[in-house]
Amino acid sequence: MFGPEVSIHAGNHTSTLVGRFMFDIEEHEKLPEDDRDVVIEDDVWVGTRAIILNGVRIGRGAIVGAGAVVAKDVPPYAVGRWRASTGSQVPVALGDYP
């Protein structure tokens, strides 16, 4: 379940080819880290205006709080918000989950 205005960023622009337009760059010129899949497993809730960055896996049953910036994998059944700068979870007073 997704709240409004959630952003999922599965790709990024290469910065190694200076002086070329983005749409002129061929697939074989991209670095593997430029385009990484985002995997969102079953029964995940994502709050309003959360941002999910490339290469992230959100585990089954996790709850991502409103306004979170998810830059690292989220374990199954985790509940919280994540800071972009550190990737650390901001605790939520809903109890511990396995």
Side-chain angles (χ1 to χ4, degrees), residues 28-71:
H28 68 276
E29 296 177 292
K30 290 184 176 182
L31 300 173
E33 59 269 15
D34 288 339
D35 292 318
R36 296 183 299 167
D37 292 338
V38 171
V39 177
I40 301 173
E41 296 180 0
D42 294 334
D43 300 323
V44 170
W45 291 14
V46 180
T48 300
R49 292 190 179 172
I51 300 171
I52 302 168
L53 301 178
N54 66 347
V56 168
R57 173 181 291 273
I58 301 177
R60 178 186 178 99
I63 299 174
V64 176
V69 178
V70 183

Side-chain angles (χ1 to χ4, degrees), residues 76-87:
Y77 302 103
V79 179
R81 294 182 317 145
W82 285 263
R83 292 187 180 107
S85 58
T86 62

